[in-house]
Amino acid sequence: MRQFWNGLAGVVTKHYKAVLTLAAVVTVIMAFGITKLEFETSQDALIGADNPVAQDNERFQENFGGEPMLVLFSATEDGGKQSIDLVADEENAKTLAEFGDELRAATDANGDPLFHAVVSPVTAMNFAASQVTPGTEIFPLAEEYAPDLASDQVKDGEGTDEKAAARAEEVKAAVEKLEAGTTERVTAAGIDVALAAAELPNIDDQVKHEAEAIKVLSNKTLSEALLYESDAEDPAVVATDDEGNPVIRPILRANFPKIDQGLMIVTTQGNIDIADMGDAADKVVEIADKYKDSFEGFELTVGGPPQLLQDINDYLQTGLALLGALSFIVMVLVLYFVFRVRWRLLSLVIVVIGAIWGFGIMGYLGISLTLITIAALPILIGVGVDFSIQAHSRMEEEVNEDGNAPEGMRRLMRWLAPPLAVAAIAAVVGFLALNVSPVPMIGDFGVMLALGIIALFVAGLLVPTSILAWREKANPTKAGEALIPHGFLERVVRGMMFSMQKFVLPMAVVGVLIIILGLSFEGRFVIETDAEKWLPQDKNSAQCKVQEALGGSDCTDTIHDLEVLQDRAGFSSVLALLIEADDVTSDEVSSWAQQFTNQQLEKHGPDGDGTLKDVNSLYGVAFDITKTPPDQASMNLLIGKGLRRGSRLHRGPRGRPEVDRVTRQEVGGAPVPDRADLAG
């Protein structure tokens, strides 16, 4: 190996121009490689495309869309409005329909729809109205009042005649009251038939249907009948809670979370990356801002996971760019005031060259930048400048020793290059060990650092020595000519090194104790899993000021809006469960789904740990109509009749109800473990 290092010293000394020319060519080539780098923000970078969770999530989002943005309509204190006025007030309902239409019409750069589904309070009430005809069949009463929609499955079912006979008189009375224009509340069965008698438009197109349904929904009696539960003891009156407020039907609580709150759920397209999700979030905010003063007696709040993820993404990118800039500035100050040699800022040039090489190699290898890998830049700046400082400092010492540059270069390569190579190899092996992580971006982080260390070692060893060899050739240094007296820092370090020779064993013991102490504290650190706390909570923080100066969003607006959503609506995110079976409408699956719903509400609902607000599914729709466990007949009726004109929220490909939508409550921002507990 000595011959190798001596030969390398000869190459640098005699052919320094060729070495520098080659370095310049490589730098230009690698600079083009940097242009191939892409910033990866999809979920594949987080857990990997081969992960079963990722595959399940991809399949779900392909059919049902991605993360939801939430638009909250809150009744103002002095407006005297309730959530029902969003649909019963015809002007509000028209504006809400226009709001939804504009969101549905929004497209991305390719002209594709920006959103998978838009479910507003009008959409939800429209969906509730679409339960009318299947509701009459489920009871069943369709043959007399809606014979064209009668279901053979129900007519052939057991107990049909008994149910019809028991409710026929009740329905007849309800229809007579409504036809006479009464404002008296009627029973659930009567509502179904009354709405059918109101000739609700039977239109497949959801948007057109909403516009025409507004006239029907503006009848406040009918809207109240749809929205509010009937009293258990007296179905002719509205059920009330302990505070005397009407009780909202379970199936509508996702869009009417409280008596004075309405909610629009805007679902992004599925399987899109954070950047596209951010574009969708921005579009919702943009359109909502246009309509914010258009709803009499209501104020709007916009928020949701897409906006939070976008802000975290922007914050990390801005923060890491700022950290890299600060690292560079600190290096300039340290080198200028502490590194007491000629051409003291040369090492910064070497770090820039090495970083270009490392990132260029990543670009050619197709390794993407992620929120983790971009953090390697400050690390590489610190490590790379060390390689260059070592070579630069040693060369200055050698030429000052005897003024013989070629011999000084051989001594440098013989005694300094091997330990630097060992240090580089150890660092590379250590960083590559990160590939054992199941998280792809952690593995990419290790690969990026390993490539960067190799590039910085080569650049730090060859480029500064070649530049100094050129200097010595042009203007040789005489022995002792450039000797700089030791300053305070040099004397302190020198003293420490000599004193350590006397205390090798005690220092080794201290090192081992520090390692043991560190390991003992390792499991005591709390990992922050609440994504909302990843953003600055103080608007006046330095990071917020920099982000806003660079044109980013306000750091604290997203946090404030999410807190408003949590406080007023009771939740700010949803957890979706995909149910797959040979037939998801079968009695077995329907029964299991209802049991699962009850178990989750008991464990995590308002009477449990409080992390779950409500559960919405087609199984719940069937239960809400019949007040009995859902069965295959009722599920097929809902799919065939109600969903044909209803919301896409519960409808999968081919109109199958393959999903439970779980709306969860975050009390003060429930952390990720609570979500994992729910998902489990």
Side-chain angles (χ1 to χ4, degrees), residues 133 137 142-151 155 196 202 641 644:
T133 40
E137 295 181 27
E143 190 166 12
E144 182 175 357
Y145 294 100
D148 57 318
L149 297 177
S151 167
K155 288 194 295 182
N202 185 9
K641 307 300 181 184
R644 182 159 53 90

Side-chain angles (χ1 to χ4, degrees), residues 541-556:
S541 66
Q543 175 64 51
C544 276
K545 296 296 184 183
V546 172
Q547 185 166 322
E548 291 172 19
L550 294 176
S553 59
D554 189 316
C555 283
T556 54

Side-chain angles (χ1 to χ4, degrees), residues 222-236:
L222 297 182
S223 291
E224 288 179 347
L226 281 171
L227 183 60
Y228 301 140
E229 283 271 26
S230 297
D231 186 80
E233 296 181 359
D234 185 0

